Amino acid sequence: MNFFKTILPNLPEYRRLDKHIDNNYLPIGVTGVSAVHKAHLITSLCMNKNKKAFVIASNEPEAYKFVNDFTAMGCRAFLYPVRDYTFRDIEGQSSEYTHNRLEVLANITYGLFDVIVFCIDAAM
C-alpha cells in the first residue's frame, strides 16, 4: 500500500498539513473533502510521519465508515464505540460495548493501532 504514501506529498495543501504536524500545531481539522479522501490524507500522514491518529466523526455510522476506509488502506484502525447506557432494571444486559471499549483502550495502551476513530458521543 505504498501508493498511499507517495501520491499526496506533491500537493501544497498536504505539505501545509505536514508542516503543521512538524510544528506540533495540533489538533488539525480538514473540511471540504469527502470522507474517503480524509481517510487517505490521514493514512498518508500517519505512514509518512510514522505517527498515530485519533479521528472524531460526527456520528457512529460515519465512524464505522472511516474504520472500514482506514482498514482497506492498510491501517490498524479501531472504533471506540459509544457507551451503552441502561436506565432501568433489566434481566440481562450485554457487555459487548464495554468489552469493545476496553479492547480499544488496551490497544491504545500498548500502541497496537494506527488510527482510533470515535464519534463525538463516545468522546464525551
Side-chain angles (χ1 to χ4, degrees), residues 100-118:
N100 289 344
R101 289 166 62 92
L102 289 171
E103 179 184 359
V104 172
L105 291 174
N107 287 333
I108 292 170
T109 301
Y110 297 113
L112 302 175
F113 72 98
D114 295 317
V115 179
I116 301 294
V117 181
F118 51 94

Side-chain angles (χ1 to χ4, degrees), residues 4 15-16 32 62 69 73 86 95 101 107-108 111 123:
F4 288 114
R15 287 194 302 267
R16 192 173 318 129
E62 181 184 27
D69 290 342
M73 293 180 196
T86 305
S95 299
R101 289 166 62 92
N107 287 333
I108 292 170

